[in-house]
Amino acid sequence: MHFAKRSTLRATCSAMIGLALGTTGLMASHAANAGEVSIWAWDPNFNIAIMQEAAKRYTAKHPDVTFKIVDMAKADVEQKLQTTLASGVTKTLPDIVLVEDYNAPKYLRSFPGAFEPLSGKVDHKAFANYKVNLMTMGGKVYGLPFDTGTTGMYYRSDLIKQAGFSDKDMQNITWDRYLEIGKQVEAKTGKKMFAMDPQDIASIRIMMQSAGRWYFDKDGKLDIKNNPALKAALETQVKFMKAGIYKPTSGWGEWVGALNKGDVASVITGVWITGSVKAEASQSGKWAVAATPRLNVPGAVNASNLGGSSWYVLAAGKEKAAAADFLNEIYAKDVDFYQTILQSRGAVGSLLASRSGKAYSEADPFFGGAKVWQQFSDWMGKVPSVNYGIYTAEGDAAVAAQLPGLAQGLPVEKALENIHNQLASQIK
């Protein structure tokens, strides 16, 4: 699903789930003859459960099609896909595979012809533009956009008010303003503004994309030294380190624990954190949401993304035609499906029409009666598109390697030079 830290910790199950969703046992036993669509994904409580719901809906109208959904750890999905595609022996590949958005450009460029184009089979204009752009190559669109990692600022309205601010003060602010508010929150309440692993680069990703920039430009060329968004993001990170308004954490458990224990006043991350925020029932009514802060650079907006994944059909799949039809019928057209998975799994899909559904317009008492899902779906439509390229992981590593130096006073210009040099040497 989402943030790599989350998917690694959550996606630990590697059992095979065979779904024979026909109406009779005879149909199930002859799945291979009836047309069995095989799928690889991770996270039994999110992606797998959602795919089971999608398959159930499809077989209700197409009883001749059955599904075999293979659930394994995210890292195992990626390793098997990479190894199999590299070997050229594609008989063991599934019909559909889940791919994290950050990795999609790498697969499409590294293995041309391995994925089935869905242009003309799916109306991609119906989805969030930034999701469609990252799966487009050579004028063809190769995936079916799934969940969004649209970001937002979750904050404790009670602590913010104790510090002398109103909910209005939290709307559409800059990161510098967020820092100033954080200083006052700590001074007045004794609470840190947010929790962060000092070695994590999630906030830098969020800041860059909100300004429509990445480690690479639109043409896939390295974009480090003259990247105002990356420079501003690093400068902002340094300001946070110097101000000390964050609580240092390590790992998913500590990070979420800081929210649930009331140690921090806010968290800025993907919408997928909603369920974890709401896990502490005693805090109901004390939380609110606002748009993601923006950088002080040209083109920056109060919307960004962190994580998210999409479905891809393999060109070598035996049932690729049925697979494409299934994705189109359920994930590209069934608005009610998105209401169901929102309510049951907290999944915010990237199909724009889903925003008109009832589930998205319901008020949430946990967040003070705000229509949280509607807000996130609105922000989703404003997320800038960027080119993740095929070396995002290397870019993350290069940035992370400079954080300790920045904390010790390394000039940002020097850090940018080091990042550029490290990446340049890796992508020759």
Side-chain angles (χ1 to χ4, degrees):
M1 175 183 171
H2 319 290
F3 193 21
K5 184 187 298 181
R6 182 187 196 212
S7 56
T8 300
L9 289 166
R10 292 184 57 192
T12 57
C13 178
S14 58
M16 181 177 291
I17 303 175
L19 281 186
L21 292 171
T23 56
T24 68
L26 178 63
M27 183 174 294
S29 66
H30 292 287
N33 294 327
E36 183 181 74
V37 176
S38 57
I39 303 168
W40 288 358
W42 63 86
D43 197 338
N45 294 316
F46 191 82
N47 299 312
I48 297 297
I50 288 170
M51 184 53 84
Q52 289 174 338
E53 171 64 24
K56 179 180 178 181
R57 287 171 176 259
Y58 189 75
T59 53
K61 296 181 179 179
H62 306 273
D64 58 323
V65 178
T66 58
F67 293 82
K68 181 172 72 174
I69 303 175
V70 181
D71 170 25
M72 64 185 89
K74 177 176 178 290
D76 291 341
V77 172
E78 294 171 346
Q79 182 178 12
K80 287 190 69 174
L81 181 62
Q82 174 77 23
T83 302
T84 306
L85 289 175
S87 73
V89 182
T90 57
K91 292 183 179 180
T92 60
L93 285 173
D95 298 297
I96 298 172
V97 66
L98 184 65
V99 176
E100 188 176 39
D101 290 341
Y102 294 123
N103 294 329
K106 175 183 69 176
Y107 286 120
L108 292 176
R109 286 166 174 75
S110 300
F111 304 104
F115 299 92
E116 185 74 7
L118 297 184
S119 302
K121 301 173 184 176
V122 172
D123 179 12
H124 287 96
K125 293 181 180 179
F127 294 88
N129 189 53
Y130 82 95
K131 293 275 285 189
V132 177
N133 284 347
L134 64 88
M135 57 179 60
T136 301
M137 186 178 70
K140 296 180 180 180
V141 187
Y142 285 85
L144 193 293
F146 177 34
D147 69 319
T148 175
T150 301
T151 58
M153 173 169 57
Y154 299 74
Y155 65 94
R156 284 282 298 273
S157 56
D158 56 334
L159 297 177
I160 293 298
K161 289 172 183 176
Q162 284 181 41
F165 301 98
S166 67
D167 289 326
K168 185 177 180 180
D169 291 324
M170 305 303 289
Q171 305 302 315
N172 298 310
I173 62 176
T174 63
W175 283 100
D176 285 341
R177 179 59 174 162
Y178 176 76
L179 175 63
E180 292 304 315
I181 292 174
K183 291 178 180 178
Q184 290 300 311
V185 167
E186 184 170 15
K188 299 291 180 63
T189 71
K191 304 289 187 179
K192 296 294 185 179
M193 189 61 171
F194 62 102
M196 179 180 73
D197 182 335
Q199 299 303 309
D200 187 41
I201 48 78
S203 59
I204 294 174
R205 280 181 171 183
I206 292 171
M207 293 178 200
M208 274 199 300
Q209 184 154 1
S210 72
R213 303 294 283 264
W214 202 248
Y215 305 125
F216 314 95
D217 62 20
K218 298 295 183 181
D219 297 320
K221 297 179 180 178
L222 200 58
D223 186 21
I224 303 296
K225 289 185 177 180
N226 298 311
N227 185 330
L230 178 55
K231 180 181 179 182
L234 293 177
E235 291 172 340
T236 301
Q237 192 87 343
V238 172
K239 291 176 184 176
F240 289 152
M241 292 175 179
K242 289 183 177 179
I245 63 168
Y246 70 92
K247 178 179 180 177
T249 56
S250 178
W252 173 263
E254 281 190 17
W255 186 59
V256 173
L259 312 178
N260 296 153
K261 293 175 183 176
D263 295 337
V264 297
S266 68
V267 57
I268 299 173
T269 191
V271 64
W272 37 261
I273 197 65
T274 304
S276 296
V277 173
K278 295 176 69 173
E280 183 51 60
S282 66
Q283 294 177 1
S284 180
K286 297 179 180 180
W287 284 90
V289 296
T292 303
R294 69 183 184 279
L295 292 171
N296 285 312
V297 299
V301 298
N302 290 101
S304 192
N305 182 80
L306 184 67
S309 56
S310 298
W311 301 105
Y312 289 79
V313 175
L314 278 302
K318 296 179 181 179
E319 299 295 336
K320 63 182 181 182
D325 186 71
F326 158 64
L327 292 176
N328 180 53
E329 185 168 321
I330 304 300
Y331 285 90
K333 295 180 179 180
D334 191 342
V335 172
D336 182 69
F337 165 68
Y338 284 96
Q339 312 309 303
T340 298
I341 64 174
L342 176 68
Q343 293 174 319
S344 64
R345 303 293 165 180
V348 178
S350 52
L351 181 69
L352 299 177
S354 64
R355 297 182 295 179
S356 62
K358 181 180 179 181
Y360 280 80
S361 61
E362 291 182 349
D364 191 331
F366 190 94
F367 294 100
K371 297 179 180 179
V372 175
W373 302 122
Q374 189 68 60
Q375 288 177 287
F376 274 97
S377 61
D378 289 343
W379 296 329
M380 177 181 68
K382 301 174 183 177
V383 176
S385 296
V386 297
N387 180 6
Y388 290 140
I390 64 176
Y391 295 105
T392 279
E394 289 79 2
D396 290 343
V399 170
Q402 298 305 309
L403 294 182
L406 288 168
Q408 297 299 318
L410 178 72
V412 170
E413 289 77 9
K414 180 59 177 176
L416 289 169
E417 181 181 345
N418 293 342
I419 293 168
H420 173 88
N421 291 339
Q422 181 173 330
L423 275 174
S425 67
Q426 291 178 310
I427 64 178
K428 287 182 179 178

